[in-house]
Amino acid sequence: LDHGFSLSSVDCGLTGTARYVTPTGRVKDLAGFRSVFDLLKDDLAAAVAARPVRSTTALGRIAAARAGIRDLSEIGATVRLAGEQTLADGVRVRREIFSFADGFPVPLVTFFPAGTPTGLILVTDTRARTIHINRVAEALASGRAIALVDLAAGGETGTLKHAFYGNSNADEEVAVMLYTLGRSLVGVRAEETIAVAAHLVELTGLRPVVVAHNRSVIPVAHAALVRRDLFEGIEQVSAPNSWASSIQTSESIPMANVVHGALLDYDWTDLVVAFQTAPAGTVAVTNIEKGTDFASVAITVSVAMREWGQTPGGAQLTVALAPTVETNAVVTRTFELPQSEEAQSVTADFTGLEAGGRY
């Protein structure tokens, strides 16, 4: 109906600034104006302030729920061997294709050194895997096996017929399509990463260190925390900014990096930190300034178990004051903590210590 219509050729009876509704013709010049970015920053601050302290296990469950990551048995991945050959230098090359009932075919190429591999690297990227030829050579030279995978809408699976409104990222159209279906490309790629890692562990007996590049870092962070038992470590290369940082700087976040509602519970960088936390059975202690001298004091300690591991019945917490003078001994107070996913507080009463004691 508006074919051929041009506003500039229409006489609306007003010219110049007379057409303005606001004094300058710009809403942002009005006193008290706040952009959508300002509102997002307010929402972010409120969400961060409302987040409870959670154990690593709880955070992994929440990340799985937010991103739609299913249990490995429900992902339904099947693997087909596409080819295998041994090169002149004894290096063995194995090519496999993963198929998913509701997803992309995922190609995987694994290089094995001539001898028994001493480690395993898994490279994820959204670009063509051929750019990693030098990394392959370095891994093999050090005696490690190395696998390269093309996650959904990346590498071989990223050469689509259309681009989302000319977007230079080939995965953006797929990400938008999945989002309209209530799914997340981050979640899809995380499931693929889990399936590939589980297969490599079964195949080699080694847990991979994942070297994740650009937009693949976010799904890898989700996969590694959800299935910590399958991954030896994470290395990030050219990782995107955190979601919170992007909001603070009014930076656009590609749909390929989005997990709907996740910032209410976590930032994707929190998952990396949680994955790299101390082993099971340790606690994070806050509210105490190290090196402080005490003569007589009651100390409240807030603790949260990062991972309950093999202590389903609870844990024991000991708060100790170390002496600053040789005549005094270490003084301790011990508490039994019930298993809980929330932070707990205990008060260690050190009042009544010997006169003149310094701790």
Side-chain angles (χ1 to χ4, degrees):
L1 293 177
D2 63 353
H3 179 68
F5 175 82
S6 173
L7 180 63
S8 61
S9 64
V10 174
D11 182 6
C12 61
L14 299 173
T15 60
T17 57
R19 292 177 295 181
Y20 292 171
V21 175
T22 63
T24 64
R26 296 177 181 272
V27 174
K28 70 176 185 178
D29 293 335
L30 294 175
F33 169 80
R34 307 191 71 233
S35 70
V36 66
F37 297 105
D38 296 322
L39 300 176
L40 282 173
K41 291 172 187 176
D42 288 348
D43 288 346
L44 172 64
V48 172
R51 289 179 194 162
V53 177
R54 293 189 173 96
S55 69
T56 301
T57 303
L59 183 58
R61 287 200 299 266
I62 291 171
R66 286 290 189 186
I69 302 171
R70 296 165 293 183
D71 186 83
L72 181 60
S73 61
E74 299 175 358
I75 293 175
T78 57
V79 188
R80 176 173 62 86
L81 180 63
E84 191 170 17
Q85 66 182 118
T86 301
L87 306 181
D89 56 0
V91 171
R92 183 163 56 93
V93 184
R94 183 182 177 95
R95 299 176 177 86
E96 297 168 293
I97 299 175
F98 287 73
S99 298
F100 301 86
D102 55 355
F104 282 73
V106 172
L108 174 72
V109 180
T110 308
F111 296 83
F112 296 91
T116 302
T118 58
L120 174 62
I121 298 172
L122 173 61
V123 178
T124 65
D125 203 337
T126 54
R127 301 165 296 176
R129 60 176 177 269
T130 52
I131 66 175
H132 298 294
I133 184 171
N134 291 334
R135 187 182 293 277
V136 171
E138 292 171 0
L140 293 174
S142 65
R144 293 174 294 175
I146 181 169
L148 300 95
V149 63
D150 286 342
L151 300 177
E156 285 187 59
T157 66
T159 53
L160 305 179
K161 185 176 181 180
H162 302 289
F164 183 70
Y165 287 91
N167 194 296
S168 59
N169 297 328
D171 54 7
E172 194 67 357
E173 182 178 24
V174 175
V176 173
M177 177 192 68
L178 288 171
Y179 191 83
T180 60
L181 296 174
R183 301 181 65 191
S184 162
L185 182 57
V186 170
V188 169
R189 286 173 166 172
E191 287 189 341
E192 294 169 348
T193 304
I194 290 172
V196 169
H199 173 69
L200 289 173
V201 170
E202 182 179 0
L203 184 67
T204 67
L206 299 169
R207 297 192 305 174
V209 173
V210 185
V211 181
H213 295 71
N214 50 73
R215 291 185 304 283
S216 76
V217 173
I218 299 178
V220 165
H222 282 74
L225 187 61
V226 172
R227 287 299 306 267
R228 297 176 72 198
D229 58 309
L230 294 177
F231 300 91
E232 187 66 29
I234 304 173
E235 296 180 14
Q236 304 173 57
V237 181
S238 301
N241 291 329
S242 69
W243 293 325
S245 173
S246 297
I247 290 176
Q248 293 291 357
T249 58
S250 303
E251 174 190 349
S252 175
I253 303 177
M255 290 295 293
N257 293 347
V258 168
V259 175
H260 185 79
L263 265 175
L264 295 173
D265 295 304
Y266 64 91
D267 202 324
W268 74 261
T269 50
D270 296 332
L271 307 184
V272 178
V273 173
F275 175 79
Q276 296 171 340
T277 53
T282 63
V283 296
V285 180
T286 59
N287 300 348
I288 295 181
E289 183 179 350
K290 293 182 179 179
T292 302
D293 284 345
F294 298 103
S296 183
V297 69
I299 304 173
T300 299
V301 183
S302 295
V303 298
M305 290 297 290
R306 288 171 171 157
E307 179 64 63
W308 284 97
Q310 301 302 313
T311 58
Q316 190 177 76
L317 169 69
T318 298
V319 181
L321 291 187
T324 57
V325 292
E326 295 182 358
T327 56
N328 295 336
V330 174
V331 182
T332 63
R333 301 289 186 268
T334 301
F335 304 87
E336 298 294 332
L337 297 180
Q339 181 168 339
S340 172
E341 294 179 358
E342 306 300 331
Q344 303 179 60
S345 293
V346 297
T347 299
D349 187 359
F350 290 102
T351 57
L353 297 179
E354 55 191 275
R358 304 298 294 178
Y359 298 86

